[in-house]
Amino acid sequence: MFFDSLIGMAVASLAGMGIGGGGLLVIWLVLARHLPSQGAQGINLIFFLVSAAASLPIHLKKRTFPTRRLLFLTAAAIPGVFVGCHLASVLSENGARRAFGYFLLLSGGMQLYRWTKTRFFS
């Protein structure tokens, strides 16, 4: 239990720095704690909601709240929720786990590519 708390604080710290803490949390819960991937993703959503609620007052105070971007992303996310729910009901647990793993690899690869491009080739 103590080690899980340390992992949770580390993931929260990384998420606060913008380093995809939610993906790390899912990986930890699935691989180390042997939770089903759908349960780990549900916990990840709760983690995200709590961290977003904690950061909202700071963004509002600093006036860094991107209202237009938020409206656009919300409009794009609503159909995404329905597509994601449909995929979750169609895919097997192993298929969902693989799809999420490929998504994390693709996302990490894109971030690494952008970082390398800006650091070494600009």
Side-chain angles (χ1 to χ4, degrees):
M1 184 74 164
F2 177 74
F3 192 66
D4 288 335
S5 298
L6 289 177
I7 294 295
M9 286 188 287
V11 167
S13 297
L14 291 171
M17 292 185 280
I19 307 178
L24 298 173
L25 181 62
V26 170
I27 291 169
W28 168 257
L29 291 172
V30 170
L31 295 179
R33 304 304 292 158
H34 307 291
L35 261 64
S37 61
Q38 286 182 334
Q41 291 169 14
I43 292 171
N44 182 44
L45 289 174
I46 294 168
F47 173 82
F48 173 76
L49 290 174
V50 171
S51 62
S55 67
L56 182 61
I58 295 167
H59 288 292
L60 290 173
K61 182 179 179 186
K62 291 184 176 185
R63 299 182 189 265
T64 59
F65 196 74
T67 306
R68 292 177 71 201
R69 186 181 302 169
L70 177 69
L71 293 173
F72 172 76
L73 291 174
T74 301
I78 291 171
V81 167
F82 290 107
V83 171
C85 286
H86 176 69
L87 286 174
S89 67
V90 173
L91 290 175
S92 67
E93 168 118 12
N94 195 29
R97 183 178 294 174
R98 284 179 188 235
F100 187 69
Y102 289 132
F103 171 75
L104 286 179
L105 286 173
L106 177 66
S107 177
M110 289 171 51
Q111 290 295 328
L112 183 62
Y113 172 76
R114 285 187 200 139
W115 180 82
T116 305
K117 186 177 172 184
T118 59
R119 297 285 189 257
F120 299 113
F121 300 108
S122 62

